[in-house]
Amino acid sequence: MAAATSKTYCVTCKKEKVTFKCGGCSEDFCYQHLGDHQLELSKQFDEIEVNRDIFRQSLTEHIEQSNSDDLFEQIDRWAQRSIEIIQQTAEETKRTLTETKNQYFQELELKLSKLTEQLRQKRQENDFNEISLRNFHEELNQLTKELAESLTISIGEESTSFLSKLYVDTSELSLFEFDLKNFEVHSGLTVAGGNGMGSELDQLSRPVGIFVDNEQTVYVADNENHRIVEWKLGARTGRVVAGGNGQGKQSNQLSGPTDIALNKDGTHLIICDLGNKRVVSWPRRNGTNGQVLISNIDCCRISIDKQGFFYISDREKHEVRRWKANDTSGRLVAGGNGKGDRLDQLNNPTFIFVHDDNSIYISDWGNHRVVRWIEGAKEGVIVAGGHGKGNSLMQLANPQGVVVDDISSVFVADFTNNRIMCWSKDAVHGNVVVGRYGQGDEADQLNRPMGLSLNEQGDLFVVDQWNVRVQRFDFDRK
């Protein structure tokens, strides 16, 4: 590894000694610190071997699961759809054939009835001769010929296929792209709810959005109880801090709130009061009434940047607008080009996350993707999903909550797949960080996750909607 050199300075102790040059880094070490350097290299080698073993285990699991992979299910679904299309086409063709024959026969019956009536009149009047008989004979022959022609109907086949072609797409698969986990996720801890659905102070009912402050106090949009509930760190029950006076539109009421955020000064909760189509400001401490900030808006979800601007997603208009105090219409910052899947469009946008650079991350629910719109952009960039609805590592299914950490990793509540996905910056696929063991109510399982929040320690808070609870997951970053 190292060769002795004449006296020079050791890179570690900075003393002039007989040194040995490392063949890898080409630095000079004295005999004592050369051993330390070798020990450090040995530790790094051990770490690589551990990561190798982790990857080997992951590879083995993938191989064992390969025959039950979603891709095989996708092929089966294609086959079923194809069979259904064939059956539908056959039934439609049968109906067309029946209708064509019936119409043809009805026309022949009308002609036959007309001929019968003419014959009856001639017989009654006893007014016929060779000419009239010849005409009747010719008409009858013509009807006979037309009846015979009905047997010449045939079924044709077009050469153009009406089935979509199936193929294996490996264009985005790379055997040189290793994505070893850089953190370990502990089982979740319930920090709000978890006592069944209800309206008691230790219960929730269809929770949606969430906000977590610096003291790890959790604020939950308790949708079907028409209230915002505050849960202190370690508390067994919550405290109603907004609404809670029944469903309604009075100043002390809410109707199906979906999301909350904290204003710039930390004095007021800003609430998406979706059922009343309004955004409400409510005093954070001992508030009994709210003040309407924005009216007549489909305020699906909300986020607030460091300057105090509100970002609100609108499902009816398929857009996100930025609002400030006394705004009457807001400023369009994403979408606004109708419902669609183009990069300048959204399809039922839900949760929003505002980054420090004022770029916004949007859960594009109907397009099964998360898009990032930088400030002033005319279109977004897909940062998660975007490969249709599904449960592969490249897909999402009706994403909801979205948050981004300090290294631009995107965490997404993959609602229909009952999991939380993490997409590293510029990654072509995500990793499952919560919910690897399927839908359920165990500590490491989820059932329709909704809102997400990250605290300053990097812990992830998840609204586990159908389990009517909020879970906190701690990450050990390596």
Side-chain angles (χ1 to χ4, degrees):
M1 168 188 164
T5 63
S6 59
K7 281 192 175 183
T8 184
Y9 287 94
C10 172
V11 70
T12 302
C13 64
K14 310 298 182 184
K15 295 180 179 179
E16 186 177 11
K17 294 182 178 181
V18 174
T19 59
F20 300 82
K21 187 178 292 293
C22 174
C25 64
S26 299
E27 298 286 358
D28 296 315
F29 298 88
C30 66
Y31 181 78
Q32 177 183 351
H33 292 112
L34 176 63
D36 294 340
H37 183 57
Q38 289 175 323
L39 180 60
E40 176 62 28
L41 293 178
S42 179
K43 289 180 179 178
Q44 293 180 16
F45 193 90
D46 291 342
E47 183 177 351
I48 291 173
E49 288 190 319
V50 170
N51 285 337
R52 184 272 319 276
D53 292 340
I54 293 173
F55 177 76
R56 185 191 302 280
Q57 180 180 356
S58 178
L59 177 60
T60 301
E61 291 174 355
H62 278 73
I63 293 173
E64 291 174 351
Q65 296 173 1
S66 62
N67 288 333
S68 61
D69 195 283
D70 177 63
L71 296 177
F72 289 95
E73 295 180 7
Q74 186 176 338
I75 294 171
D76 291 338
R77 289 195 297 270
W78 171 86
Q80 184 60 39
R81 286 196 307 270
S82 300
I83 292 171
E84 290 172 356
I85 291 172
I86 292 171
Q87 290 175 335
Q88 181 181 354
T89 303
E91 292 302 319
E92 289 176 353
T93 305
K94 287 178 181 178
R95 286 196 296 270
T96 302
L97 176 61
T98 301
E99 291 171 0
T100 301
K101 281 181 170 289
N102 288 342
Q103 183 178 1
Y104 191 81
F105 292 149
Q106 287 173 3
E107 292 178 357
L108 287 180
E109 285 184 339
L110 288 175
K111 291 181 180 180
L112 179 59
S113 296
K114 184 178 179 181
L115 176 60
T116 301
E117 179 62 24
Q118 291 174 348
L119 290 172
R120 186 184 63 79
Q121 289 181 356
K122 290 293 185 181
R123 175 67 72 179
Q124 286 180 348
E125 296 171 359
N126 199 22
D127 182 22
F128 51 86
N129 52 36
E130 290 83 358
I131 296 176
S132 56
L133 292 176
R134 185 169 61 249
N135 291 336
F136 289 143
H137 183 70
E138 289 177 357
E139 286 187 40
L140 187 57
N141 285 340
Q142 182 63 32
L143 290 177
T144 303
K145 180 180 179 182
E146 290 180 8
L147 178 61
E149 287 177 352
S150 67
L151 301 176
T152 63
I153 296 176
S154 61
I155 303 299
E157 294 185 27
E158 295 181 358
S159 59
T160 303
S161 172
F162 54 84
L163 296 177
S164 57
K165 186 178 180 181
L166 200 64
Y167 63 95
V168 178
D169 182 6
T170 60
S171 60
E172 298 193 52
L173 181 64
S174 172
L175 290 177
F176 303 98
E177 223 175 88
F178 291 89
D179 193 6
L180 297 177
K181 301 178 183 65
N182 62 351
F183 52 78
E184 179 182 354
V185 184
H186 293 174
S187 294
L189 173 68
T190 301
V191 295
N195 296 296
M197 183 178 295
S199 59
E200 300 298 324
L201 289 180
D202 64 346
Q203 294 178 308
L204 299 168
S205 183
R206 196 174 173 267
V208 182
I210 185 177
F211 179 83
V212 181
D213 67 12
N214 294 335
E215 286 75 41
Q216 298 192 50
T217 299
V218 178
Y219 294 88
V220 186
D222 193 8
N223 182 270
E224 290 188 346
N225 285 324
H226 313 291
R227 66 189 185 184
I228 305 298
V229 186
E230 173 192 82
W231 292 68
K232 294 286 189 181
L233 179 64
R236 294 189 176 183
T237 61
R239 181 174 75 93
V240 178
V241 293
N245 297 300
Q247 182 179 12
K249 58 183 179 180
Q250 302 301 319
S251 62
N252 67 340
Q253 293 178 306
L254 298 171
S255 177
T258 55
D259 206 6
I260 60 274
L262 197 61
N263 72 340
K264 180 181 178 182
D265 299 328
T267 58
H268 286 71
L269 297 170
I270 310 301
I271 305 168
C272 280
D273 190 14
L274 180 61
N276 288 319
K277 288 188 175 293
R278 65 188 185 186
V279 176
V280 178
S281 174
W282 205 291
R284 187 181 182 190
R285 304 300 180 197
N286 302 318
T288 57
N289 294 275
Q291 178 185 359
V292 178
L293 300 179
I294 307 171
S295 301
N296 300 318
I297 181 173
D298 185 75
C299 48
C300 181
R301 309 289 188 268
I302 190 170
S303 187
I304 299 179
D305 66 16
K306 291 185 176 181
Q307 289 73 43
F309 291 106
F310 308 158
Y311 294 75
I312 300 172
S313 58
D314 189 320
R315 297 174 306 173
E316 290 182 349
K317 297 180 179 178
H318 308 286
E319 66 182 22
V320 175
R321 286 185 177 269
R322 185 173 71 185
W323 300 75
K324 59 183 178 181
N326 302 319
D327 250 349
T328 57
S329 60
R331 176 187 171 190
L332 182 68
V333 293
N337 295 300
K339 178 181 178 180
D341 59 2
R342 298 197 313 260
L343 291 179
D344 66 342
Q345 293 179 306
L346 298 170
N347 183 350
N348 288 284
T350 58
F351 285 92
I352 314 163
F353 180 87
V354 184
H355 200 268
D356 290 343
D357 61 3
N358 286 334
S359 61
I360 57 175
Y361 294 76
I362 305 166
S363 275
D364 195 5
W365 185 88
N367 286 323
H368 313 292
R369 66 190 184 187
V370 174
V371 289
R372 175 176 180 259
W373 288 64
I374 64 174
E375 190 171 16
K378 299 298 183 183
E379 62 181 32
V381 176
I382 299 172
V383 295
H387 295 276
K389 183 178 182 180
N391 61 4
S392 76
L393 293 181
M394 296 175 65
Q395 294 177 302
L396 297 169
N398 307 116
Q400 290 284 357
V402 56
V403 290
V404 182
D405 66 10
D406 54 4
I407 58 173
S408 297
S409 297
V410 180
F411 293 82
V412 188
D414 195 6
F415 181 77
T416 305
N417 287 325
N418 305 296
R419 65 189 184 182
I420 306 300
M421 300 286 290
C422 178
W423 295 68
S424 302
K425 186 177 181 181
D426 300 324
V428 297
H429 65 79
N431 285 313
V432 180
V433 294
V434 180
R436 298 174 187 170
Y437 306 106
Q439 179 181 12
D441 59 3
E442 298 297 328
D444 54 0
Q445 292 180 308
L446 299 170
N447 194 344
R448 297 298 193 262
M450 291 290 287
L452 298 182
S453 183
L454 280 172
N455 66 9
E456 291 184 339
Q457 292 73 38
D459 301 328
L460 182 68
F461 293 76
V462 182
V463 174
D464 190 9
Q465 188 179 74
W466 286 15
N467 286 325
V468 285
R469 65 187 182 183
V470 176
Q471 296 287 91
R472 187 187 73 203
F473 296 89
D474 302 331
F475 294 158
D476 284 342
R477 297 180 182 270
K478 298 179 180 180

